Amino acid sequence: MNLVRDGYTRLVRPALFRAHAGDPESIHEDMIGALALLGALPGVRDLVGLLTRTSGDPVTVAGIDFPGRVGLAAGMDKDARAALAWQYLGFAFAELGTVTAQGQPGNDRPRVFRAPASGALVNRMGFNNGGSVEVSNRLGVAGIVRGNRAAGIPLGISLGKTKATPLADAVGDYLTSFDRLAPHADYIAINVSSPNTPGLRSLQDGGALGELVGALTARAALQAPGDPLPVFVKVAPDLTWPQLDEVLQAVTDGGAAGLIATNTTLSRTGLAEADRRLADEAGGLSGRPLTARAREVVAYVAGHTDLPVIGSGGVMTADDARALLDAGASLVQLYTGFIYAGPALIADINEEVR
Ligand SMILES: Cc1cc2nc3c(=O)[nH]c(=O)nc-3n(C[C@H](O)[C@H](O)[C@H](O)COP(=O)(O)O)c2cc1C
């Protein structure tokens, strides 16, 4: 028996899923609480690290040295509470957030739904987070500064638009967050692809995106002349190829360092019969139903730009990660696969990639 693989899927996951059958989000809150504690307990975290960590395949992307290829996707640690813990589960990097300039509660609960027969989740969280001041303070207290590896691994911070801020003022909203959070990040991700903030995805339109990316990269150059903080742009899987061409043009013209492909999808294709009831829930679908589309988008992006691509979407097995890397991704991120398979998935991918 593999302690990590079987321990999670046979013991930890069933207990968690049963304990919180009504609302998957409460498991999530408990898990983040436990990981925040873990990050602060040297003996315990080292033991967990001994059980779960495997060495990855190091790679340098956008000037950042990553100790492996597998990272945590945005949305799991929205408030950076567990920033110090992710390395002990085996992640080679973690993308914190999405953080908005002002704190906000997000949508009403329930807002995340499990689709176990499909290996999927549907969520409409709506950027619930404490806001850029709170998150920046927390990272400061944890001693996390760009490049200092206080968390043991590179940390990205994902930025989104505050719901109450009109779209016309989006650039200022992102810049406010950037000023507060960039000192604590190894890269910034511009999230313009969540389906759960009204109008957000329209920021992927060429003109708006070019302006947003240009403003943030200019600010990065001002903050650190000679060594500007890399800015990535995270795109939706629901764009057509002409729309994606426009995004690539804007991202290149704006001076971004790379792309993250993809966020969750509005499509409901691939939901198993047993999960069809979730087809009518508003929100983004992630996990197994997204695997093929994310791979397609990564291949398209990698084929049409020289910028590096971080692959995200439906990595449920080591083979899925391998396929995303083969499609042109330099790194991969996990969310849904990690919920269903736990840290063993990271170990499996590390083994496969090595
Ligand atoms: C509950 C939940 C919350 C998420 N929140 C965010 C978020 O705040 N920002 C973001 O960029 N992506 C967010 N995502 C999208 C993930 O980062 C990821 O791109 C997507 O789920 C596809 O990967 P997966 O199939 O491995 O889950 C969220 C996903 C889920 C399931």
Side-chain angles (χ1 to χ4, degrees):
M1 152 154 162
N2 178 312
L3 200 60
V4 176
R5 179 177 301 115
D6 299 337
Y8 181 80
T9 51
R10 283 197 205 169
L11 301 172
V12 179
R13 188 184 68 191
L16 287 174
F17 280 20
R18 237 192 336 268
H20 298 285
D23 183 8
E25 189 177 344
S26 45
I27 301 185
H28 180 260
E29 287 168 339
D30 289 356
M31 186 187 80
I32 293 295
L35 288 173
L37 190 65
L38 177 82
L41 296 174
V44 186
R45 70 190 191 197
D46 292 339
L47 182 66
V48 170
L50 265 181
L51 290 172
T52 57
R53 260 172 166 172
T54 51
S55 56
D57 176 37
V59 62
T60 301
V61 177
I64 306 164
D65 295 326
F66 293 85
R69 306 286 182 137
V70 191
L72 177 74
M76 183 89 74
D77 193 4
K78 289 179 186 278
D79 286 314
R81 290 181 195 281
L84 296 175
W86 298 111
Q87 63 158 323
Y88 297 102
L89 298 186
F91 285 109
F93 66 107
E95 192 169 303
L96 309 172
T98 293
V99 184
T100 53
Q102 300 165 37
Q104 56 183 31
N107 292 320
D108 292 340
R109 291 166 77 151
R111 51 195 179 179
V112 54
F113 307 89
R114 269 198 304 266
S118 320
L121 298 171
V122 171
N123 94 84
R124 52 166 177 271
M125 303 296 285
F127 291 165
N128 55 303
N129 77 108
S132 55
V133 171
E134 182 189 302
V135 174
S136 155
N137 287 341
R138 184 169 295 119
L139 290 167
V141 168
I144 294 169
V145 175
R146 178 187 180 194
N148 79 344
R149 293 294 181 272
I153 52 175
L155 294 177
I157 302 181
S158 167
L159 307 185
K161 184 186 76 66
T162 309
K163 186 179 180 188
T165 300
L167 269 177
D169 301 333
V171 172
D173 196 75
Y174 279 88
L175 280 173
T176 299
S177 298
F178 186 91
D179 288 342
R180 293 173 179 158
L181 292 163
H184 306 290
D186 294 300
Y187 73 86
I188 287 291
I190 306 180
N191 183 359
V192 281
S193 47
S194 164
N196 301 317
T197 293
L200 189 83
R201 284 183 167 194
S202 69
L203 294 173
Q204 292 177 121
D205 297 348
L209 186 61
E211 191 194 341
L212 177 60
V213 176
L216 290 176
T217 56
R219 192 60 67 95
L222 207 64
Q223 265 190 3
D227 186 23
L229 187 64
V231 172
F232 283 74
V233 176
K234 184 167 179 179
V235 299
D238 304 321
L239 298 167
T240 62
W241 297 143
Q243 286 172 324
L244 204 48
D245 289 339
E246 222 181 278
V247 165
L248 293 178
Q249 191 66 50
V251 164
T252 310
D253 294 348
L259 290 109
I260 304 169
T262 67
N263 213 311
T264 56
T265 180
L266 289 171
S267 157
R268 291 296 181 264
T269 309
L271 270 186
E273 208 41 52
D275 296 321
R276 282 315 296 176
R277 76 204 139 79
L278 295 181
D280 296 330
E281 291 291 352
L285 176 67
S286 59
R288 175 55 72 209
L290 186 55
T291 310
R293 179 60 186 165
R295 190 181 304 163
E296 210 173 31
V297 175
V298 165
Y300 188 89
V301 172
H304 288 77
T305 169
D306 291 333
L307 294 174
V309 187
I310 301 177
S312 159
V315 175
M316 311 300 284
T317 65
D319 284 346
D320 298 332
R322 159 59 59 207
L324 268 194
L325 294 168
D326 287 348
S330 304
L331 298 159
V332 299
Q333 294 178 323
L334 310 179
Y335 194 122
T336 308
F338 184 69
I339 298 291
Y340 284 103
L345 177 56
I346 307 169
D348 284 353
I349 298 173
N350 280 339
E351 195 178 316
E352 165 69 25
V353 173
R354 280 199 319 274

